[in-house]
Structure formats: structure tokens, C-alpha cells
Amino acid sequence: MKVLVTGGLGFIGSETVIALYKNGHEPVIVDNLSNSKIEVLDNIEKVSGKRPTFYKVDCCDYEGFKKVFEKEGKMDAVIHFAGLKAVGESTKKPVEYYTNNLLSSLVLVRLMKEFGMKNIIFSSSATVYGVPERVPLVETDPVGHATNPYGETKIMIERILQDAAKADSSLNVCLLRYFNPIGADPSGLLGEDPNGIPNNIMPYISQVAAGKLKTLHVFGNDYPTPDGTGVRDYIHVVDLAEGHVAALKKLATNPGVVIYNLGTGKGTSVFELIAAFEKATGIKIPYVIDPRRPGDVAENYANADKAFEELGWKAKLNVEDACRDSYRFQTTTASK
């Protein structure tokens, strides 16, 4: 398939481009470089041996984005990663998050309709479940209110896509609800390299290990969890990327709307993640305890049985693998 990948130079997008190449697909990347770097394009080529077509375009820019559709002709599917994604930042900049994430998705859906594209995979999130009534979470659990504006944008975009599919029975929509992606490409050339201070825990730990930051900040040790720190389902980005390839195969069967959790099915606390990193790398991680962050929940992990049963997909790599790969990327490729 020829696959449009919005946000394709980002952390998950770039690894998914590698997985698409490995599985014989042809990716076309659109990215505005707001939280990614053009050097990623070179590194995709080094890892895959192929250089994807790339357009520096903001998905909110209808006219600019339309030119991509006009130039590329028939594309079989889109994987929609583009969007602002920091939970904490979204509580401080809600209007920016709603504007960017909703508008970019609406422009994309409009262009899909204009150009007859019938398949979309949406990069959703476990945040759509809000504060879980129970764990592990299953796809039929209620989606009501997220605990932060970032999560609310994911809920709204899911609804927009589901309504679009109701109005057009030929539209196929796959909502992939990710849990917590970590790790990096085993080559050390692709990974999570945020601009400025990282919002996510793994690049933060890696930067502390590499000496770029002094101390890890652990947000809250008074949660109702075994060790008091937040519990999350950390999934290796390589496994996550393969989940998108499996979802593409599913869309080829014209399933309408399908929803899958992509996670390991196992919760790991922040302290357990630190211990896994120290074991994988032999480096001690100094940390301090800070107050809880607004928008965070105590515990969140997946039941991913449906993805295994219907897509034949399950996570193969573990947290230590992810720690090792993250540190390799941090010390070889990430911004010095």
C-alpha cells in the first residue's frame, strides 16, 4: 500500500515508517517539524535503505495539505500521528491543543473525502478512558472524560472519525489506543528526541543517565499503588509500530470502525521503570519526589487480547529492552 503518514518524523511515526518499509509498503511523510527534526529523514534512510517522500506541511493548512494529495495521486491509507502530545503542557495550553489537534484532523478527513481515500488509522491514546474504574482496560470500557485537554482531543477526534464512518459506510477507521510508548529503534538512529526538557519519562531518564540532566523528577509517590508511584503500561515503540502494520491489513478487509488497545497487558510503576533502566544500563539514576502532576491517573494498563485475536499482534519486547534501546539512542544520536 501507499500510506500517508502524518507526523512521520516524530518518535512513533518514524519507527512506523521503518515497519512499513519492512512489510513492503510505500510511506509518504507529512510533518511540520514542530516537535521533530529533519535529520530523522536521513536516519530513516540509513535504517531502511530507502528515503521516503517528505513534505514539510502543517496538517492544519488545508491548501498546503491539499497539494500533497494532488501531487501523490492515489494513496491507499493514512496513519494520522500529527498532533501536540504533552499531557502536562495541554493543561497549561488547552486552546492551542484543541485548535491544533482538532483542526489538523478535520482538514485531513475533508481531504480524504475529496480524494476518495477510504482507510485511516488514528493514533489515539489510553487517556480516552479517563480515570479507570478498573484495570486492565478493555476496548468496551467507557470513554467519557479525559483528565487533561490532550486526552479530550483524542476523544473528540475518535468521535469525529466514528461519525464520518457512520455517514459513509465505505470509510474504514481503526482507532489504536496506545498505552505508554518507550524505547527506540535498535539501530540507535531513531528514538524520542524532544525539543527542550522532555515531558515523557523515558527520554528524561535517558538524559539523566547521559549527564544532560541532573536529576529525575518523580511526580507523586502517594498514589494508591504498591509503591506509591504511578503505574503505566510501557510498550516498546518497535512493537507499537508493528501494530500499525497489522492494522493496515485489517483495514484491507473493509471492517468499518475497529478499536484496539496496544499495550503489553502489564503495569510497571515509575520506581520499577527506574530499576529496570539501572539493570539494563548499569547506571544509577538519581531522583527527587515532586508533587503529582495535574491530569495524571494512578494506574493505567491494557488488556490487549483483542489486538492479538483480531490482528495477530502482541508485544514481544520488554521494559529492559526498551531501556537499553533508549539509552543507546540517547548516547549515539539524540541532540547533543
Side-chain angles (χ1 to χ4, degrees), residues 4-260:
L4 177 64
V5 186
T6 72
L9 295 186
F11 170 43
I12 305 168
S14 59
E15 192 58 44
T16 300
V17 167
I18 298 298
L20 289 169
Y21 273 135
K22 274 185 190 164
N23 289 275
H25 300 295
E26 180 193 344
V28 174
I29 297 175
V30 168
D31 198 305
N32 69 357
L33 302 178
S34 66
N35 194 33
S36 57
K37 298 173 176 70
I38 193 63
E39 293 78 16
V40 173
L41 201 57
D42 296 332
N43 291 339
I44 287 172
E45 187 174 13
K46 285 175 192 168
V47 175
S48 69
K50 295 175 181 175
R51 191 174 185 85
T53 303
F54 168 69
Y55 296 91
K56 187 188 174 190
V57 170
D58 190 317
C59 295
C60 295
D61 171 12
Y62 170 77
E63 293 300 335
F65 203 178
K66 184 177 182 180
K67 286 175 185 155
V68 176
F69 278 79
E70 287 170 343
K71 191 159 184 192
E72 286 302 317
K74 186 179 185 311
M75 294 184 283
D76 300 292
V78 57
I79 305 178
H80 184 35
F81 294 107
L84 300 175
K85 62 168 192 169
V87 167
E89 184 185 61
S90 78
T91 63
K92 299 183 182 79
K93 297 181 174 178
V95 175
E96 289 90 332
Y97 270 68
Y98 286 117
T99 302
N100 182 84
N101 292 5
L102 293 176
L103 183 57
S104 59
S105 302
L106 288 164
V107 168
L108 172 60
V109 173
R110 182 179 165 190
L111 287 167
M112 285 178 68
K113 187 172 184 182
E114 282 181 40
F115 287 86
M117 186 194 277
K118 296 297 185 185
N119 299 301
I120 179 168
I121 296 171
F122 175 54
S123 165
S124 192
S125 165
T127 56
V128 301
Y129 295 113
V131 179
E133 291 171 13
R134 54 166 190 175
V135 285
L137 286 152
V138 295
E139 289 84 352
T140 50
D141 282 337
V143 171
H145 280 289
T147 58
N148 53 75
Y150 160 75
E152 286 290 338
T153 69
K154 295 294 187 186
I155 291 171
M156 290 176 187
I157 296 162
E158 281 198 4
R159 286 183 181 151
I160 288 164
L161 292 172
Q162 286 170 312
D163 286 344
K166 269 184 204 160
D168 177 1
S169 60
S170 66
L171 189 62
N172 299 303
V173 174
C174 180
L175 308 175
L176 294 182
R177 293 174 180 163
Y178 313 157
F179 281 68
N180 288 66
I182 58 171
D185 192 81
S187 67
L189 290 168
L190 298 167
E192 191 168 10
D193 189 15
N195 297 323
I197 301 290
N199 286 298
N200 293 338
I201 188 166
M202 185 54 85
Y204 208 114
I205 292 176
S206 297
Q207 288 189 23
V208 171
K212 292 181 188 176
L213 296 170
K214 285 185 179 173
T215 315
L216 173 69
H217 292 262
V218 176
F219 296 103
N221 66 343
D222 57 349
Y223 283 106
T225 59
D227 63 20
T229 64
V231 170
R232 297 291 181 271
D233 188 336
Y234 294 103
I235 176 172
H236 199 301
V237 68
V238 169
D239 281 330
L240 188 58
E242 287 295 338
H244 293 77
V245 176
L248 270 183
K249 282 185 197 160
K250 180 71 176 178
L251 288 184
T253 68
N254 298 316
V257 177
V258 285
I259 304 172
Y260 301 102

